[in-house]
Amino acid sequence: MTEILGGPSLPQERKLVTAIPGPKSQELLARKNSAVAAGVGVALPVFTVAAGDGVMVDADGNSLIDLGSGIAVTGVGNSAPRVVKAVQDQVAKFTHTCFTVTPYESYVKVAEKLNELIPGDFEKRSALFNSGAEAVENAIKIARHYTKKNGIVVFDHAYHGRTNLTMGMTAKNMPYKDGFGPFSSEVYRVPTSYPFRDELSGADAAEVAISQIEKQVGAANLAAIIIEPIQGEGGFIEPAAGFLPALQEWATANNVVFILDEVQTGFARTGKMFAAEYSNFAADMVTTAKGIAGGLPLSAVTGRAEIMDSAHAGGLGGTYTGNPIACEAALATIETYFEDGLLERAQKIETIITDFFAELQKTDDRVGDIRGRGAMMAVEFVESGSKKPNAALTSHIAKFCADNGVLTLTCGTYGNVVRFLPALTISDELLLEGLGVIAEAMKVSA
Ligand code: PMP
């Protein structure tokens, strides 16, 4: 049998040869259920054997349209050629030394790139980690060390990870937090800006949040405010214009570190290298991960030099942080975003998705809100004639899509949002075919 390789050579087609999941995937699922902890759930139990650009191929030979890219990770496509080459070259040289024992250049190069690309006309430093949650943990650690204060402000609908601190910072109980407490103290949640539901201007929403911070926390106790520029797991909620700059201005005036969590929005995903570019301002610190390294585990904290340098030598690190294979993958990935025009491609994907659902909305008012940026788009589904969240329709769409060979992801505090996070390399044809299946799903729904 010939080996199936992923990447761009994979036929870009939706092709079902069995029901989903097919017999081989079902067999593997049974093994998974007896070998893997039940808490590690799967959204769609088709076992992957290859993936590239707009498709993933499963163990039964089905080729599914992938509208999730591993939750916004493989922006450059799965097994992107530059990434494959960089990883293969590095893996043959050395796989690990631990950067904090004996360093290597690729880590420094990634830090230099981040310092250059992340918005902010000031001197910056970066530190590398493995996961988004680990980056968030470290950003908080550094902000506390720098300000010598403890309080952390997070927002309604926020998602920051699954470690103990980041679970406490995340808003949604099920499935992320339920029964996993107690959580870290000194984490305070305030209202965000959610234009579709609160109908407030950015300035008014910021006033509500700031008033609550002043009354319930106090600037003198507050180390950092952390927010996603577009809230991901919470439902792709983009705050109204002016909300983020107002918060930042307040933070700066009160010796509070303003942190943007760009773990999901970063690296060309939104049509800019970083979503902050849409708000035209620079945070004190930015956390990144996901799209940084084409699927290799890597994350980063980048920020003002004086804040980042405040932690003592040895205070930051970890055995695997900034692994050399992941660093080489990151350099190849970043090059790919620019060389292959993927920022422009993300903007085109935004137009395709927006136009498609705007048309659908004309005849079906359950398409409540179409929002997002670039290839980070979502539709919030509501009950006809109201803004009541329609979680039943959302689950129906996800199931119908899976049965018909389209992998979609849902999100949102109310479970009523379908999100689109395709690889930026997906073709227009395949994307439109996937969206067409969603329209079909809506037709056959009650
Ligand atoms: N922050 C944000 C905004 C995220 O979207 C995520 C992951 N969905 C995380 C943090 C956590 O990242 P990881 O899963 O890599 O720990």
Side-chain angles (χ1 to χ4, degrees), residues 71 131-133 136 159-161 228 233 261 263-264 290:
I71 322 188
S131 69
V136 171
Y159 184 90
H160 296 292
E228 302 149 79
E233 309 300 303
D261 182 349
V263 164
Q264 192 157 158
K290 290 190 187 279

Side-chain angles (χ1 to χ4, degrees), residues 342-375:
L342 296 184
L343 290 129
E344 295 74 23
R345 192 58 211 140
Q347 290 163 14
K348 173 87 192 297
I349 288 171
E350 173 178 336
T351 308
I352 292 173
I353 295 176
T354 308
D355 291 353
F356 185 89
F357 284 104
E359 199 53 40
L360 204 60
Q361 197 175 35
K362 286 185 191 157
T363 54
D364 194 335
D365 69 351
R366 294 173 304 169
V367 176
D369 195 23
I370 306 155
R371 58 177 182 249
R373 301 266 189 182

Side-chain angles (χ1 to χ4, degrees), residues 1-58:
M1 196 178 130
T2 50
E3 198 185 355
I4 305 174
L5 292 179
S9 62
L10 214 53
Q12 294 297 298
E13 61 180 3
R14 177 169 63 116
K15 191 181 88 186
L16 294 188
V17 294
T18 69
I20 299 289
K24 288 198 178 129
S25 278
Q26 285 188 34
E27 211 178 296
L28 287 162
L29 183 63
R31 279 173 53 201
K32 179 235 169 220
N33 289 342
S34 48
V36 179
V40 185
V42 295
L44 181 58
V46 291
F47 280 75
T48 314
V49 294
D53 295 335
V55 297
M56 65 82 61
V57 174
D58 75 8

Side-chain angles (χ1 to χ4, degrees), residues 28-115:
L28 287 162
L29 183 63
R31 279 173 53 201
K32 179 235 169 220
N33 289 342
S34 48
V36 179
V40 185
V42 295
L44 181 58
V46 291
F47 280 75
T48 314
V49 294
D53 295 335
V55 297
M56 65 82 61
V57 174
D58 75 8
D60 291 283
N62 298 299
S63 175
L64 285 83
I65 299 177
D66 177 8
L67 299 181
S69 65
I71 322 188
V73 170
T74 49
V76 290
N78 251 297
S79 301
R82 285 189 192 83
V83 175
V84 170
K85 169 93 172 60
V87 166
Q88 285 174 340
D89 288 353
Q90 179 57 42
V91 90
K93 288 179 192 154
F94 64 96
T95 50
H96 172 85
T97 64
C98 189
F99 185 80
T100 58
V101 177
T102 58
Y104 35 88
E105 187 180 358
S106 56
Y107 185 121
V108 179
K109 277 191 181 165
V110 172
E112 288 168 347
K113 262 283 167 243
L114 290 166
N115 298 347

Side-chain angles (χ1 to χ4, degrees), residues 122-283:
F122 42 76
E123 202 174 331
K124 300 187 201 96
R125 303 277 187 270
S126 289
L128 304 184
F129 303 95
N130 299 291
S131 69
E134 201 183 355
V136 171
E137 288 257 355
N138 277 280
I140 301 297
K141 221 168 114 169
I142 298 164
R144 283 177 167 159
H145 199 275
Y146 174 73
T147 59
K148 304 193 172 42
K149 299 190 277 185
N150 298 322
I152 303 299
V153 158
V154 294
F155 290 81
D156 286 338
H157 310 288
Y159 184 90
H160 296 292
R162 293 173 180 271
T163 57
N164 184 267
L165 175 61
T166 59
M167 253 194 302
M169 295 166 66
T170 289
K172 196 172 177 177
N173 179 48
M174 274 301 275
Y176 307 123
K177 301 164 77 168
D178 197 62
F180 294 134
F183 304 115
S184 171
S185 59
E186 294 303 316
V187 174
Y188 301 91
R189 190 172 310 284
V190 303
T192 188
S193 159
Y194 191 164
F196 178 61
R197 296 199 172 275
D198 67 22
E199 295 176 8
L200 292 177
S201 71
D204 288 350
E207 204 177 306
V208 173
I210 289 166
S211 160
Q212 189 160 320
I213 295 169
E214 285 176 338
K215 294 194 170 53
Q216 298 185 14
V217 190
N221 304 306
L222 188 59
I225 296 176
I226 179 164
I227 188 164
E228 302 149 79
I230 299 173
Q231 291 182 310
E233 309 300 303
F236 284 24
I237 305 163
E238 182 175 3
F243 182 73
L244 296 177
L247 286 176
Q248 194 202 26
E249 205 175 296
W250 181 89
T252 304
N254 288 280
N255 184 30
V256 171
V257 177
F258 189 75
I259 307 170
L260 271 187
D261 182 349
E262 291 240 26
V263 164
Q264 192 157 158
T265 50
F267 294 100
R269 177 53 53 188
T270 65
K272 303 260 187 206
M273 210 51 188
F274 297 97
E277 292 168 48
Y278 285 108
S279 303
N280 227 353
F281 80 105

